[in-house]
Amino acid sequence: MSPRRFFVGGNWKMNGDKKSLGDLINTLNTAQLNPDTEVVCGAPAIYLDFARSNLSSTIGVAAQNCYKVSKGAFTGEISPAMIKDCGVEWVILGHSERRHVFGESDELIGQKVAHALESGLGVIACIGEKLDEREAGITEKVVFEQTQAIADNVKDWSQVVLAYEPVWAIGTGKTASPQQAQEVHEKLRHWLKANVSEEVAASVRIIYGGSVTGANCKELGSQHDVDGFLVGGASLKPEFVNIINARA
């Protein structure tokens, strides 16, 4: 078996209120979750304190974004220091919606990764190609360039989880086949071996995101280089428990 601990993140995105998220938190707190799986829930910024205060201490909490500096005149942004002040341990960076809806560049994402890690947060760093890029046969070029921008800013890889999320599979109902996911994850691991170190390539967790559900999680999770999931819509539903337990 892989020595890498299975990791399941839930990205709640801009969804929920105290009532619905409270119900979800109660479901997670009372469920039988595989203790061998690390679970982290990405809450909207305004509910980070609420999520951390109410979720079981065995479940981590992540912010969905942060800025590249600790404080200042950046209206609407939040800093790693603020995230940590809420008792939150993780941040999701480079999500395709940040890249393609909000126009974040590889360079900016790299700067955010550097500052978040320096501040003591764990980083779930997202990479992935769009449909036209996959159809053009440049999947590897795109994900390697995105990974390079992240790798240039990482000193301690033990605090990083790489999330491969093909953009064409996010929220579309289309999922990369287990074979497609495994192929990209394996190539990413080879890239890390060649460009970072053999030790990092063997130890860093590479998780898959893109229309993961209770129905497809077991087969996806059985792939050798798929170390878990970053789950969108299904993380707001009771089936998230089944996804967490994909390897139970």
Side-chain angles (χ1 to χ4, degrees), residues 8 36 141 156 172 200 228:
V8 177
D36 296 329
K141 178 178 182 290
D156 181 3
T172 61
V200 166

Side-chain angles (χ1 to χ4, degrees), residues 127-129 134 139-140 142-144 147 162-166 168 176-192 206-208 225-226:
I127 53 178
E129 81 283 10
R134 173 167 278 270
T139 292
E140 288 172 52
V142 171
V143 298
F144 291 167
T147 306
L162 273 182
Y164 169 60
E165 296 200 304
W168 49 271
S177 70
Q179 294 73 28
Q180 286 174 317
Q182 166 59 23
E183 180 184 18
V184 176
H185 283 226
E186 185 177 13
K187 286 176 177 174
L188 275 166
R189 213 172 290 286
H190 283 306
W191 185 94
L192 289 167
I206 306 175
I207 62 176
Y208 170 77
D225 289 295
V226 175

